[in-house]
Amino acid sequence: MTAATHSTLFPQAPDTADAVLEGLDPEQREVATALHGPVCVLAGAGTGKTRAITHRIAYGVRAGILQPSSVLAVTFTNRAAGEMRGRLRQLGASGVQARTFHSAALRQLQYFWPKAVGGSLPRIVDRKIQLVADAAAGCRVRLDRGELRDVTAEIEWSKVTQTVPSDYAAAAAKAGREAPRDRAEIAQLYAAYEDLKRDRSVIDFEDVLLLTVAILQDQHDIAEAVRAQYQHFVVDEYQDVSPLQQRLLDLWLGERDSLCVVGDASQTIYSFTGATPDHLLDFRTRHPGATVVKLVRDYRSTPQVVHLANGLLAQARGRAADHRLELISQRTAGPEPGYTEYTDEPAEAEGAARRIRDLIASGIPASEIAILFRTNSQSEIYEQALADVAVPYQLRGAERFFDRPEVKRAIHALRGAARFGGNDSLLDDAPDLPSQVRAVLSGDGWTHQPPAGSGAVRERWESLAALAHLAQDFATAKPDATLGDLVAELDERAGAQHAPTVQGVTLASLHSAKGLEWDVVFLVGVAEGMMPITYAKTDEQIEEERRLLYVGVTRAREHLSVSWALSRSPGGRPNRRPSRFLDGLRPGSVTTANRGGAAGPLGSGGIERGAPGSAPDVTRRANRTPARCRVCGRTLDAGEMKLMRCEDCPSDMDEGLYERLRDWRAVQAQRSGQPDFCVFTDKTLMAIAEAVPSTPVELSRIPGVRARKLNRYGADVLAICAGQELEDGADED
């Protein structure tokens, strides 16, 4: 046996089944030994969930309870499936199938297709976007590249939520989706796309799941053959399961309950693709006898990082927040998270790059450092800042800025305008460099105002907007610069990014960082408008943005830096403020929402054992005492509760303050195009004028001042209560 066999790269497999359990903490050991009946593992970030479920499978195999070929472990990425297979081999449990949902379904579909349908399985299209383009052409609908991507995403969402074309418009409206085109038009394109696939005898990625579900539903002999093969199921990242994947899982299981699911509702960040944590949160309802194990010992991050992560979720609202897990760090103390405010975005990028350069010089490998941002369009400024200080980097989950098709096309147009601009009527009314660039970009779809919604259209606009902003900054720095000078600058910037990336700092969006971790993490751009993103409007969307920031925080093992910029460019108006999610968490800030009561029945760690036929535990609401008038003590009815007094009891309201609040409300309502009561009702203003709150906490206690209105209007209301004059525009979003 060579020395390499004993290295960490080639660990020796445990000698016995009991040896598989060595090194597991009590909750992980419970997961590993709970081999019968349904099991739900609620695993917080960094708590060793993959370790727990792989040891569970390995223990069952090594103990002779599970046959390797009868176990199917499913997850969501090929990387995660490969990691699971590798760990199982190291534990002496080779032969277990660890696959993605699509990979497992495709194998079954290929095997059973000749029997179920006849002939060979239709060809699977690698990229459906061309089919969508052809369908649009057949419907005589013109879609640009961004719209093609967005319509394709809507079709994918429809299929994973099992929505047919005729139901798309109603389903999208109910789900609150920002459709890139008229919903009826998208439904028409969806139907044409499905017809085109049938005409060409091809299927897409989602069809793999849909067809497998159809065969298992309709042909009981095939369903029984699959169930005879696979008798024990493990599902990782269960909070990301779509309705279609859950339907497939139900068909795999049949009437059996040999199922172990693992997930964390607080890491649900893909709802726009159809993922939902409801299956995880409803597991005890659907399986009353289930064993629930909560993993809360965090082995990844220091107590300081974990404290911030817990604080973020403590302010959360909604169903996922009611089931949050309170993490407990198992590491020694580390540095406190750093919070840095910069004057502008270039300064923020340069500051991060300099600090990273110093960290690398101190001995921290570049591969153990990451810069995480909300959107891919933020990458370019950090790419340039790192290149300027000769720090190698690698992009994850996004194209390099200058490799993006819209950027290439725009630079090509700018180069043409620089060469032949004197003969281009488009530039006749563009007297300076920034206006010339905007005129050229407008021909490629750029507009002064960003498009509504999110997705490809928004990302394309942001790429072009970044070029427009760069032109403005370049002209400010070099007033005599020409369009040709700007093109030369863009070429130079593009060339500077060809640095080695193997050991580089990782640049990634928060979505693409899921499942990864680094010693050092820089969370950048954590300002209102970016985190939460501007187009997050509903409470559900805001809470998903909070969870996205939580995922970012929990990627850090030891060093965490959080930063934001007060303005976009040097000399710009400093009208930005740090993200509301940091209120009460960063030094010097105050909490703007009631933080109590977020932890629900699943909030702490431990084990809940179910019994066959038992009902899930339900946390009873505490008996509420009736609200009473603060003047006479009489029980109040619902209409009087906002004032906390009877209508006919004497009021101590500040009449002048009430009138100032009414005047302010009228301005707010006019700006938003809403009726006055949509800002605050008369009774809420009366309650404010009576209480005269001086802090956000006092204001939040007034009925009618919910978290969203507190975030939007709280600063203005408190200023008015303090007798301060509001600056023009200070109360605008």
Side-chain angles (χ1 to χ4, degrees):
M1 188 175 292
T2 65
T5 307
H6 296 286
S7 74
T8 56
L9 293 176
F10 301 96
Q12 190 172 4
D15 295 330
T16 64
D18 287 341
V20 173
L21 304 178
E22 293 178 1
L24 300 181
D25 67 32
E27 292 78 26
Q28 292 172 342
R29 181 180 287 256
E30 180 66 24
V31 174
T33 55
L35 296 172
H36 301 287
V39 177
C40 179
V41 183
L42 301 171
T47 57
K49 67 179 179 65
T50 305
R51 176 180 174 84
I53 58 176
T54 52
H55 281 68
R56 180 183 193 271
I57 296 170
Y59 177 73
V61 169
R62 299 294 297 275
I65 300 171
L66 304 176
Q67 292 299 314
S69 60
S70 71
V71 180
L72 178 58
V74 288
T75 186
F76 284 82
T77 66
N78 289 321
R79 180 188 61 81
E83 179 185 358
M84 194 177 293
R85 286 193 296 270
R87 292 201 191 192
L88 289 169
R89 282 195 300 271
Q90 293 171 1
L91 293 170
S94 298
V96 172
Q97 292 293 313
R99 298 183 173 275
T100 65
F101 269 101
H102 284 86
S103 174
L106 180 58
R107 288 191 77 209
Q108 294 172 19
L109 197 59
Q110 289 171 328
Y111 184 80
F112 290 109
W113 185 269
K115 177 181 179 181
V117 181
S120 57
L121 183 69
R123 179 177 64 87
I124 302 173
V125 292
D126 295 329
R127 296 177 68 250
K128 61 172 67 69
I129 197 164
Q130 185 57 53
L131 271 177
V132 176
D134 292 345
C139 296
R140 298 186 178 183
V141 175
R142 289 181 59 87
L143 300 176
D144 63 26
R145 185 182 65 88
E147 289 175 319
L148 271 175
R149 286 176 53 188
D150 286 345
V151 170
T152 300
E154 288 304 291
I155 291 174
E156 291 173 348
W157 173 81
S158 299
K159 299 184 79 165
V160 301
T161 56
Q162 303 176 86
T163 303
V164 298
S166 59
D167 293 338
Y168 167 78
K174 182 178 180 181
R177 293 185 70 81
E178 288 279 352
R181 302 283 291 239
D182 179 76
R183 292 191 178 104
E185 190 174 54
I186 294 177
Q188 178 191 11
L189 294 174
Y190 179 14
Y193 168 80
E194 292 296 311
D195 291 340
L196 199 58
K197 283 198 294 102
R198 281 191 290 271
D199 292 343
R200 297 182 182 181
S201 297
V202 296
I203 60 176
D204 62 25
F205 204 46
E206 289 72 39
D207 288 331
V208 171
L209 299 184
L210 285 163
L211 291 170
T212 305
V213 164
I215 288 175
L216 295 179
Q217 280 182 163
D218 297 341
Q219 306 210 20
H220 298 291
D221 56 334
I222 293 178
E224 289 306 316
V226 172
R227 293 166 191 158
Q229 171 68 48
Y230 297 115
Q231 300 169 13
H232 188 86
F233 296 87
V234 177
V235 184
D236 194 13
E237 302 289 0
Y238 194 54
Q239 78 278 352
D240 291 332
V241 166
S242 70
L244 179 57
Q245 289 165 332
Q246 180 62 46
R247 181 60 187 143
L248 178 59
L249 179 61
D250 290 339
L251 289 166
W252 281 341
L253 274 168
E255 299 300 321
R256 300 165 301 174
D257 62 0
S258 187
L259 171 66
C260 174
V261 301
V262 189
D264 178 11
S266 296
Q267 296 188 67
T268 304
I269 59 173
Y270 297 110
S271 65
F272 59 91
T273 68
T276 171
D278 289 346
H279 304 300
L280 175 67
L281 299 178
D282 292 337
F283 193 82
R284 283 289 297 274
T285 302
R286 290 183 288 111
H287 302 279
T291 296
V292 177
V293 184
K294 285 163 275 189
L295 304 183
V296 296
R297 303 173 197 249
D298 188 322
Y299 298 95
R300 175 189 299 159
S301 304
T302 62
Q304 288 74 19
V305 173
V306 167
H307 178 72
L308 175 57
N310 286 337
L312 280 173
L313 293 188
Q315 301 184 32
R317 290 294 177 266
R319 193 175 183 215
D322 290 341
H323 296 267
R324 71 184 179 93
L325 297 167
E326 188 84 17
L327 299 178
I328 304 171
S329 176
Q330 305 299 298
R331 295 192 54 185
T332 57
E336 291 288 341
Y339 301 88
T340 309
E341 183 173 274
Y342 292 93
T343 56
D344 51 65
E345 289 181 3
E348 184 179 10
E350 291 163 8
R354 286 194 301 268
R355 292 179 61 191
I356 289 172
R357 179 192 58 193
D358 295 341
L359 288 169
I360 294 173
S362 72
I364 297 177
S367 58
E368 286 298 339
I369 304 174
I371 298 177
L372 306 183
F373 34 74
R374 175 61 180 84
T375 68
N376 290 331
S377 64
Q378 295 170 269
S379 71
E380 190 271 339
I381 193 171
Y382 290 94
E383 294 173 46
Q384 184 61 47
L386 292 173
D388 287 345
V389 295
V391 170
Y393 64 87
Q394 54 187 333
L395 283 169
R396 180 179 180 87
E399 298 169 294
R400 290 176 181 271
F401 181 82
F402 288 104
D403 288 342
R404 296 170 191 165
E406 65 269 20
V407 174
K408 286 184 174 181
R409 192 163 52 247
I411 292 177
H412 179 74
L414 290 170
R415 183 173 287 110
R419 189 175 302 168
F420 307 110
N423 299 319
D424 191 342
S425 60
L426 190 66
L427 303 183
D428 288 347
D429 297 324
D432 55 20
L433 176 60
S435 60
Q436 290 170 5
V437 171
R438 290 193 294 269
V440 173
L441 295 180
S442 65
D444 202 34
W446 179 81
T447 58
H448 285 277
Q449 294 299 322
S454 59
V457 172
R458 177 75 183 214
E459 289 179 7
R460 179 172 175 270
W461 181 89
E462 287 172 340
S463 294
L464 298 179
L467 290 175
H469 294 326
L470 179 63
Q472 182 68 57
D473 295 341
F474 188 66
T476 301
K478 298 181 178 182
D480 297 329
T482 66
L483 200 53
D485 295 331
L486 176 65
V487 171
E489 170 71 11
L490 291 172
D491 289 340
E492 190 175 323
R493 283 173 173 253
Q497 294 168 15
H498 297 158
T501 60
V502 176
Q503 284 297 317
V505 171
T506 299
L507 294 174
S509 70
L510 289 166
H511 281 102
S512 62
K514 178 78 167 62
L516 303 175
E517 58 187 73
W518 296 269
D519 286 343
V520 183
V521 168
F522 287 79
L523 290 175
V524 298
V526 188
E528 284 292 305
M530 192 60 72
M531 180 57 67
I533 198 79
T534 304
Y535 48 75
K537 301 295 186 183
T538 67
D539 291 342
E540 292 79 7
Q541 291 169 338
I542 295 293
E543 288 306 318
E544 182 143 337
E545 292 288 299
R546 188 194 305 276
R547 295 194 295 270
L548 192 56
L549 182 59
Y550 171 80
V551 166
V553 167
T554 55
R555 299 311 96 194
R557 297 192 191 103
E558 187 169 358
H559 298 275
L560 177 64
S561 172
V562 183
S563 64
W564 58 91
L566 296 178
S567 66
R568 183 194 60 76
S569 57
R573 183 180 177 185
N575 56 0
R576 294 179 176 177
R577 70 178 185 88
S579 169
R580 71 191 74 171
F581 299 147
L582 300 177
D583 290 346
L585 300 176
R586 60 183 176 86
S589 66
V590 296
T591 304
T592 57
N594 178 17
R595 294 176 56 188
L602 305 181
S604 58
I607 302 159
E608 298 174 12
R609 301 185 189 278
S614 64
D617 293 336
V618 177
T619 301
R620 296 180 178 177
R621 293 185 178 182
N623 292 327
R624 296 179 177 177
T625 57
R628 297 187 181 279
C629 174
R630 56 189 172 85
V631 179
C632 69
R634 184 180 66 81
T635 300
L636 300 175
D637 61 36
E640 298 170 327
M641 289 180 63
K642 279 193 176 182
L643 295 175
M644 292 307 295
R645 63 172 175 81
C646 305
E647 292 277 9
D648 53 356
C649 277
S651 169
D652 52 359
M653 182 178 69
D654 183 334
E655 296 287 350
L657 174 58
Y658 178 63
E659 290 304 320
R660 291 195 300 274
L661 288 169
R662 283 174 56 87
D663 292 341
W664 165 84
R665 181 184 65 177
V667 173
Q668 292 295 320
Q670 184 179 14
R671 284 174 175 163
S672 62
Q674 297 177 317
D676 288 2
F677 67 83
C678 289
V679 180
F680 284 120
T681 65
D682 285 343
K683 284 189 176 179
T684 298
L685 292 186
M686 291 175 67
I688 293 172
E690 289 183 355
V692 193
S694 60
T695 68
V697 173
E698 292 176 0
L699 180 58
S700 69
R701 293 185 182 131
I702 295 175
V705 185
R706 297 184 179 274
R708 189 173 180 183
K709 291 190 176 183
L710 185 66
N711 287 329
R712 185 171 185 179
Y713 302 125
D716 287 356
V717 171
L718 291 174
I720 294 170
C721 289
Q724 300 173 7
E725 292 293 331
L726 295 180
E727 297 180 6
D728 289 342
D731 53 357
E732 293 185 274
D733 286 341

